[in-house]
Amino acid sequence: MACITSCGSCNVMVIFIIAKDFGVRPAFLIAVQYPMRVSGVISLGVPHRPFKPRTYHVELPEGFYINRWREPGRAEADFSRFDTKTILRNIYILFSRSEIPIANENQEIMDIVSPFTPLPSWFTDNDLSAYGALYEKSGFLEPLKVPYRSSEEEYGIEDPVIKNPMLVILGEKDYFLKFPGVENFITTGTVKQFALDLEIEYVAEGSHFVQEQFPDKLNQLILAFLHKHSS
């Protein structure tokens, strides 16, 4: 992988990987395929599970946001009605709630959010402007492709177990915990079958964007893990 190649060219032989949300898939793949090059893995919001297609889109209603965003052209048409800042504003409001974003039959995902709903208290107008400027340049195609439109990919990995030290940080109010089977996968300990040296930390009141909501707490947890597993 390019990450490992780049590290080798800089004489960095062992790395820690920190990933969030749709960034966890490449992070987990690196840990599984190059375990000797990884000192530890930190995942924000997502535990490691076998690399196989998910079935959330089957188990949840048609209006489930991932169902809608998996469909080519659906999100593009929805987003085209708004400017970039409004799209991001709506996403931050939706994803900061504890309920899974699900639209009604005759409603698009962007329509779930009222234009009068305020931003989360920890996300400022300056934050929105800064993010908006970035997405004005990049657009939303890549975030739609990964993970929503590439979730069916399989990698032919025979042993999907991460044997490196791993920390998963979860917001207690992250709607992801309400995805079918997720909370049970964690609380029953099944998650530890696929991450053998696993620590899990919950952040009270934490949402899907827990790293932006409680940056000091996240930094504390991350630094403690890095110090613990640094040789």
Side-chain angles (χ1 to χ4, degrees):
M1 286 190 176
C3 170
I4 295 297
T5 302
S6 298
C7 289
S9 66
C10 297
N11 293 319
V12 177
M13 304 311 296
V14 183
I15 61 173
F16 283 94
I17 306 173
I18 304 175
K20 163 66 180 171
D21 204 5
F22 52 76
V24 302
R25 192 192 315 176
F28 296 162
L29 283 168
I30 290 171
V32 167
Q33 294 182 298
Y34 303 95
M36 300 303 293
R37 303 293 298 275
V38 176
S39 291
V41 182
I42 300 174
S43 171
L44 308 183
V46 182
H48 173 53
R49 290 168 293 167
F51 300 105
K52 62 181 182 180
R54 306 299 178 213
T55 59
Y56 305 137
H57 61 289
V58 177
E59 299 173 77
L60 289 167
E62 179 275 334
F64 174 44
Y65 76 99
I66 291 180
N67 283 342
R68 296 291 182 83
W69 290 355
R70 280 163 50 94
E71 181 182 337
R74 185 72 179 259
E76 289 89 333
D78 186 8
F79 292 179
S80 69
R81 300 176 296 147
F82 304 95
D83 60 39
T84 302
K85 285 179 62 175
T86 301
I87 296 167
L88 289 171
R89 171 189 171 278
N90 290 350
I91 288 172
Y92 262 84
I93 291 170
L94 276 178
F95 284 15
S96 296
R97 295 171 175 171
S98 60
E99 299 302 320
I100 299 173
I102 298 175
N104 295 325
E105 182 178 355
N106 297 315
Q107 182 184 46
E108 297 299 329
I109 299 301
M110 290 291 101
D111 298 327
I112 299 175
V113 181
S114 165
F116 304 105
T117 303
L119 285 167
S121 60
W122 43 266
F123 191 71
T124 68
D125 287 331
N126 287 338
D127 294 331
L128 182 60
S129 295
Y131 285 18
L134 293 173
Y135 275 95
E136 282 284 354
K137 296 177 181 178
S138 67
F140 292 94
L141 181 58
E142 290 304 319
L144 288 170
K145 286 173 60 178
V146 181
Y148 305 116
R149 297 176 183 173
S150 59
S151 59
E152 301 298 320
E153 291 182 7
E154 298 192 50
Y155 304 97
I157 295 175
E158 295 182 3
D159 181 6
V161 177
I162 292 179
K163 302 175 179 67
N164 312 85
M166 182 173 180
L167 171 66
V168 176
I169 303 174
L170 300 167
E172 286 188 347
K173 294 192 174 181
D174 188 340
Y175 68 84
F176 174 68
L177 295 175
K178 295 182 178 178
F179 278 27
V182 169
E183 191 164 17
N184 185 66
F185 178 76
I186 297 169
T187 57
T188 61
T190 306
V191 62
K192 294 187 177 181
Q193 296 177 17
F194 302 99
L196 301 185
D197 187 1
L198 176 66
E199 303 171 39
I200 300 176
E201 294 283 353
Y202 286 90
V203 178
E205 301 299 318
S207 70
H208 191 67
F209 295 114
V210 64
Q211 78 282 359
E212 296 178 71
Q213 187 180 4
F214 297 109
D216 292 340
K217 177 64 174 178
L218 268 288
N219 286 339
Q220 177 187 348
L221 293 171
I222 290 170
L223 289 172
F225 180 84
L226 296 179
H227 288 310
K228 179 178 179 180
H229 296 287
S230 295
S231 56

